Amino acid sequence: MTTTSTTTGEVSAKKPAHRVNARIKLMKQNYPVRFIVPAIAVLLFFFFVPTILNFVFAFTNWSAFSKTIDFNGLDNFRDLFQSGTLTRDLRTTFIYAVLVAIFQNTFGLILAVFLEEDTRLNRFARVMFFIPVIMSALAVGYIWQAVLKTDGALNSLLSLISGANVQIAWLGSPVWTLVLVAAIHGWKWMGLSMLIFLAGLKTIDPDVLEAASIDGANRRQIFWKIKFPLLAPAFTFNVATALLGSMNGFDIVQATTAGGPGGSTEILNIFVWRTFGKGLYSQSTTMSLVLFVMVTAVALPLIWFLRRREAKTL
């Protein structure tokens, strides 16, 4: 009797333990879902749904002047391309994005090379150059607009140095203003590119550099023959993010020139914003759809090319 009761007690004691272990195992299997579901919900309602609606409303007559929303086919696309404004802004957006990618990565690479050594001064300089990255893009644009306007800080400084009244319209040239605004955009984000290039430089094996130095290579040869090719992954990330990110730019251009002078810096998002403000909602969504297609058409071959170059280099 004693043996039987003991066995029964052991079995009854094992059942709760087994259930607890099964429950713990189930929680371990399912706990990532609890964290993923909120992110999926946010992504669904704030990205996928607006994107799908953007595709839908681009083919309608939705506006502030129409009581109903009716399907009108390709009329919005036809009107926008026939006006010539959309084509001009697409070209301006692409040129602006290429210039930003050049400036941002050139500035970032130069900073990474000069600040590569881990000295106290270099670490302080890295922090200082990274500050514009965390600043508001609108704030950066308004600061540079105050510096570069005709009666701004730069002309005042030049007047003080030269002893003459300098009145240069830095943001008044239809040709060079786009280049200057792109340089401001590159300046704002060069700290991020600097960090990515620094991370790439830190992954290079010091023994390789030491061997090249022993073989008689100077610093310039070491950089261009060894360091620069091994920075291919960093270039892939920096070029792709700079080019694609600047295609969606708005803040800096709006704060510095608002698309002027004469529409020479009117990138597509400025045009979308103005059109939406006029109540032409379907046309603005059409332009957003065109921008989406443009970014996709640039992103896929660009990333493929950079990945292929990266594989060949490494």
Side-chain angles (χ1 to χ4, degrees):
M1 295 294 293
T2 306
T3 304
T4 304
S5 61
T6 304
T7 305
T8 305
E10 289 178 356
V11 172
S12 61
K14 287 181 180 179
K15 284 184 179 179
H18 175 71
R19 291 176 181 174
V20 170
N21 292 334
R23 186 175 180 181
I24 293 175
K25 184 178 180 180
L26 184 62
M27 289 179 64
K28 287 182 177 180
Q29 292 176 348
N30 294 335
Y31 82 90
V33 176
R34 297 200 300 270
F35 293 101
I36 294 174
V37 167
I40 292 176
V42 171
L43 192 64
L44 179 66
F45 288 106
F46 292 98
F47 179 77
F48 287 111
V49 172
T51 301
I52 294 172
L53 291 177
N54 190 45
F55 277 89
V56 173
F57 286 124
F59 300 93
T60 66
N61 65 341
W62 180 37
S63 72
F65 313 103
S66 177
K67 295 182 179 180
T68 60
I69 300 177
D70 301 316
F71 179 78
N72 65 354
L74 299 175
D75 290 350
N76 293 329
F77 295 90
R78 190 180 300 111
D79 294 342
L80 287 170
F81 278 104
Q82 286 179 351
S83 68
T85 305
L86 181 61
T87 306
R88 183 199 66 185
D89 287 354
L90 282 173
R91 183 175 62 251
T92 302
T93 302
F94 183 75
I95 295 173
Y96 177 76
V98 172
L99 290 173
V100 169
I102 293 173
F103 284 126
Q104 180 177 329
N105 288 286
T106 301
F107 296 158
L109 182 60
I110 292 173
L111 289 175
V113 171
F114 280 101
L115 303 177
E116 181 180 0
E117 295 184 8
D118 285 325
T119 63
R120 182 176 298 178
L121 180 61
N122 284 355
R123 287 194 291 269
F124 175 77
R126 292 172 193 169
V127 173
M128 292 296 102
F129 284 114
F130 192 77
I131 288 178
V133 176
I134 60 178
M135 290 177 61
S136 166
L138 275 175
V140 170
Y142 283 124
I143 289 171
W144 278 103
Q145 196 268 346
V147 170
L148 296 174
K149 62 183 181 180
T150 306
D151 56 346
L154 181 57
N155 282 340
S156 299
L157 180 61
L158 293 176
S159 299
L160 181 64
I161 295 174
S162 63
N165 186 21
V166 179
Q167 295 287 328
I168 300 176
W170 296 100
L171 299 175
S173 171
V175 177
W176 295 105
T177 301
L178 184 66
V179 178
L180 191 56
V181 176
I184 295 172
H185 193 135
W187 173 86
K188 188 222 184 301
W189 291 102
M190 67 180 179
L192 179 61
S193 296
M194 174 194 69
L195 287 186
I196 302 300
F197 283 129
L198 279 172
L201 290 172
K202 296 300 181 182
T203 60
I204 299 176
D205 190 352
D207 293 338
V208 176
L209 304 178
E210 185 179 356
S213 180
I214 293 174
D215 289 340
N218 56 36
R219 296 182 63 180
R220 180 178 298 177
Q221 292 172 329
I222 290 175
F223 176 77
W224 289 111
K225 299 296 183 181
I226 299 176
K227 291 184 177 181
F228 189 79
L230 293 177
L231 286 175
F235 269 104
T236 299
F237 179 84
N238 280 336
V239 171
T241 54
L243 189 63
L244 302 179
S246 55
M247 283 186 178
N248 289 298
F250 172 81
D251 313 46
I252 292 178
V253 179
Q254 175 63 24
T256 51
T257 64
S264 60
T265 61
E266 186 177 79
I267 59 177
L268 196 57
N269 275 336
I270 300 287
F271 190 25
V272 171
W273 177 67
R274 286 180 177 172
T275 305
F276 192 87
K278 295 176 182 178
L280 303 175
Y281 306 137
S282 62
Q283 291 191 12
S284 64
T285 55
T286 302
M287 288 182 281
S288 299
L289 178 57
V290 172
L291 179 61
F292 175 82
V293 173
M294 177 184 175
V295 171
T296 304
V298 172
L300 295 179
L302 174 67
I303 295 175
W304 175 83
F305 171 77
L306 291 175
R307 287 292 187 185
R308 187 177 179 183
R309 171 185 172 273
E310 181 180 332
K312 288 182 177 180
T313 304
L314 300 178

